[in-house]
Amino acid sequence: VLAGRVQLAAVLQARRQWRAAAAEFRRALDAAPDPADPVARLALEGLVGSLVSAGELDAAGAEIERVLAERPDDLEARVLYAGNLARRGQADKAQAELDRVIAKDPGLVRAWIVLAGVLNDPAARIERLEAGVAANPSNADLGLLLGSALEQAGRFDEAIGVYEQMTQRFPKSR
């Protein structure tokens, strides 16, 4: 039933029925026996995404804060929280939150990816992505983000070097 609700909500999202999707994701979360269950995590992400798409950033933040009140050590929820802070124009708070998450779990790739999106300074973005790649050498996505950040900074030779490393390290990756 939980997975069915999440799928129903995903279809409503695809139809851009944000509020109806959010309601279904909320029902799925309320029915989840274990909030750490992967399907419950999808429901939380879907709920937040639907609320954001509906322009309800404060409601999205409230949902994440509710989860964090119950599970303050939930690092994945903290990454969602940081992303929502950034969308609400609170980039400094988002960065601080992501720094805390990464300090606790440098292997949480999504935190590095969200951090890269939060940082406005190209040099800082590159520096942090280099640290993310060093902490997660088996993750191709971080390497590709680093290459892209180098390109955007006009550091084309370095970007080429990163892309060459990625193609050698991950020859069968997408």
Side-chain angles (χ1 to χ4, degrees):
V1 173
L2 180 62
R5 280 208 183 279
V6 170
Q7 284 304 117
L8 171 59
V11 169
L12 292 168
Q13 271 185 327
R15 294 179 72 183
R16 299 181 165 301
Q17 296 176 346
W18 308 122
R19 286 183 179 82
E24 285 303 322
F25 281 125
R26 160 67 25 234
R27 286 185 194 99
L29 270 177
D30 290 343
D34 177 9
D37 178 84
V39 177
R41 289 206 172 281
L42 284 174
L44 176 60
E45 290 175 19
L47 173 58
V48 169
S50 294
L51 291 170
V52 166
S53 294
E56 299 179 24
L57 299 179
D58 291 338
E63 289 294 339
I64 301 166
E65 289 169 6
R66 184 185 63 76
V67 169
L68 289 174
E70 295 171 11
R71 300 187 315 272
D73 295 328
D74 185 332
L75 297 181
E76 291 179 22
R78 292 209 165 275
V79 172
L80 277 176
Y81 177 66
N84 193 57
L85 286 171
R87 280 189 291 276
R88 291 162 63 187
Q90 300 176 30
D92 290 342
K93 286 183 180 180
Q95 182 180 345
E97 185 70 35
L98 291 162
D99 286 340
R100 285 190 293 274
V101 168
I102 289 167
K104 289 181 182 179
D105 185 0
L108 189 53
V109 171
R110 187 168 181 187
W112 293 100
I113 291 170
V114 173
L115 179 61
V118 168
L119 296 171
N120 291 322
D121 176 37
R125 182 179 302 122
I126 290 167
E127 180 182 327
R128 296 308 299 273
L129 283 169
E130 288 172 336
V133 169
N136 299 278
S138 64
N139 186 279
D141 292 336
L142 285 173
L144 293 173
L145 274 176
L146 173 58
S148 177
L150 288 164
E151 279 184 72
Q152 291 170 6
R155 295 165 58 179
F156 299 110
D157 290 339
E158 292 173 78
I160 290 169
V162 168
Y163 292 142
E164 287 174 344
Q165 286 177 356
M166 292 294 107
T167 57
Q168 289 172 1
R169 194 179 301 156
F170 306 102
K172 296 182 181 182
S173 183
R174 53 184 160 90

